[in-house]
Amino acid sequence: MNHQEKPPEENLTELMAFVLLGFADIPHLQWFLFGLFLIIYIIILMSNGTIFLITKMDPALQSPMYFFLANFSFLEICYVSATLPKMLMNLGTQRRIISLVACATQMCFVLMFGGTECLLLAVMAYDRYVAICNPLNYPLVMNHRVCIQLVTGSWTIGIPVMIGRTYQIFSLPFCGSNQINHFFCDIPLILKLACGDTFVNEMLVYIVSVLFIMVPFLLILGSYSKIISIVLKLPSAIGQAKAFSTCSSHLTVVVLFFGSAIITYLRPNTRDSEGTDKMLSLFYSILTPMFNPMIYSLRNKDVIIALRKLLCK
């Protein structure tokens, strides 16, 4: 695609800001959506915050599984806070302008937190694999130092990659429309607005998506295939039920999060797919963080007991 020259004034305007259309196509539902997403945001903050607190405060929840769960809950708060406050502001004020710098910053944080979540879910699957398939060596394999290293790696390994991707994308010339048919700055939509040759950037999107989405997803599937094969060999039906109960919540999160992310980032993008991308992004960026605490709390007796202790205090 050839670079299209624009008058300097128009170029400056295009480069300084974008317009996040969000849900502008349904103007009669703006305040309803504002109230709905505000309630969802409050639920996410309170539920994930509560799980983070009880896993830190309750002595019975000091195992590696709950250490990872605490980090996961904190990550979910960071993840939704990168998109939801701006979306609520746009719905409430109807001012959908976002500056180029703010758009790049939002994209960078969304990518970093999203990549961290993919890696952390893989780490949590590995933790369950060791706990169920190698229980005698579990305390040795998943010692405190290893847990710290795994979490630190999940949080930091994607930072330079995502900063580099954001810088590369926003180094492109933007000389077409400045309207983004989304509620946050996402890579596929931004690339559609670039007027330069985006082939290299699109290939890098696929490569990074494979590394941070498909590879962790396949590792998770591998871990759970081993877990299921071991669980099916257990002589006790009660043991099988307990093992499946422990892992089913994690697997539910994985299907919701990775399924929608894979469809969004690893399929060919067309202009007709913008509405689909927007709906799919609701799953991995908003709905999954809301359901995660409910899934873990309702399926985990230890968390329920710790929550009751906290409420009694």
Side-chain angles (χ1 to χ4, degrees):
M1 186 183 296
N2 296 324
H3 176 72
Q4 301 172 5
E5 295 294 333
K6 288 263 186 173
E9 298 81 8
E10 189 173 348
N11 247 347
L12 182 63
T13 303
E14 301 285 358
L15 287 172
M16 285 181 63
F18 292 113
V19 178
L20 287 170
L21 295 179
F23 302 96
D25 53 333
I26 43 176
H28 56 289
L29 293 178
Q30 297 297 294
W31 284 108
F32 169 77
L33 292 173
F34 175 83
L36 176 64
F37 287 120
L38 178 61
I39 291 171
I40 290 175
Y41 189 41
I42 293 172
I43 291 173
I44 291 171
L45 294 180
M46 293 184 65
S47 55
N48 281 286
T50 300
I51 289 182
F52 179 80
L53 285 176
I54 61 176
T55 51
K56 292 297 182 182
M57 294 170 57
D58 196 303
L61 302 181
Q62 301 308 310
S63 66
M65 182 176 77
Y66 298 109
F67 174 73
F68 295 133
L69 180 57
N71 278 274
F72 188 60
S73 297
F74 178 71
L75 173 62
E76 294 289 53
I77 293 174
C78 297
Y79 190 35
V80 296
S81 296
T83 57
L84 260 177
K86 179 61 179 175
M87 184 172 70
L88 289 171
M89 187 183 301
N90 291 345
L91 285 169
T93 63
Q94 298 300 305
R95 294 186 61 190
R96 301 183 175 89
I97 302 294
I98 184 170
S99 69
L100 190 75
V101 174
C103 189
T105 303
Q106 185 186 58
M107 176 188 287
C108 188
F109 278 112
V110 168
L111 292 176
M112 285 193 298
F113 293 140
T116 300
E117 181 158 345
C118 292
L119 298 176
L120 194 55
L121 284 169
V123 167
M124 293 168 73
Y126 175 69
D127 171 69
R128 291 300 85 210
Y129 163 74
V130 177
I132 294 174
C133 300
N134 196 8
L136 296 178
N137 292 326
Y138 179 69
L140 181 65
V141 175
M142 300 301 293
N143 60 64
H144 186 66
R145 188 168 68 90
V146 170
C147 292
I148 293 289
Q149 290 173 344
L150 289 171
V151 167
T152 303
S154 298
W155 277 94
T156 59
I157 196 170
I159 290 178
V161 177
M162 300 313 180
I163 291 177
R165 289 296 300 116
T166 304
Y167 175 79
Q168 190 175 35
I169 288 171
F170 280 87
S171 297
L172 292 169
F174 297 99
C175 57
S177 170
N178 67 341
Q179 294 186 343
I180 303 172
N181 186 18
H182 213 302
F183 54 86
F184 69 92
C185 294
D186 203 8
I187 290 180
L189 280 299
I190 298 296
L191 285 178
K192 288 179 181 178
L193 302 182
C195 59
D197 185 3
T198 61
F199 176 77
V200 174
N201 284 275
E202 289 172 1
M203 289 301 100
L204 287 173
V205 169
Y206 283 108
I207 293 171
V208 172
S209 298
V210 167
L211 291 176
F212 282 87
I213 299 177
M214 281 303 300
V215 171
F217 184 56
L218 292 175
L219 290 174
I220 291 169
L221 291 182
S223 297
Y224 277 100
S225 64
K226 289 284 187 180
I227 290 171
I228 292 171
S229 65
I230 293 294
V231 168
L232 291 176
K233 295 176 183 177
L234 292 176
S236 169
I238 296 175
Q240 290 183 356
K242 185 177 179 181
F244 275 121
S245 177
T246 303
C247 299
S248 60
S249 59
H250 186 195
L251 208 51
T252 303
V253 173
V254 165
V255 171
L256 282 172
F257 181 77
F258 281 96
S260 54
I262 287 171
I263 296 172
T264 300
Y265 290 102
L266 290 176
R267 66 179 170 84
N269 286 298
T270 61
R271 186 160 298 276
D272 295 334
S273 69
E274 291 181 2
T276 304
D277 290 341
K278 187 160 53 175
M279 291 301 105
L280 286 171
S281 64
L282 287 174
F283 280 94
Y284 65 78
S285 65
I286 296 175
L287 296 181
T288 303
M290 182 181 70
F291 290 135
N292 284 345
M294 301 177 189
I295 291 170
Y296 281 113
S297 299
L298 294 175
R299 306 281 303 193
N300 194 305
K301 293 180 180 179
D302 293 333
V303 172
I304 293 174
I305 292 171
L307 183 58
R308 285 174 180 168
K309 288 180 184 178
L310 182 66
L311 292 175
C312 290
K313 290 180 181 179

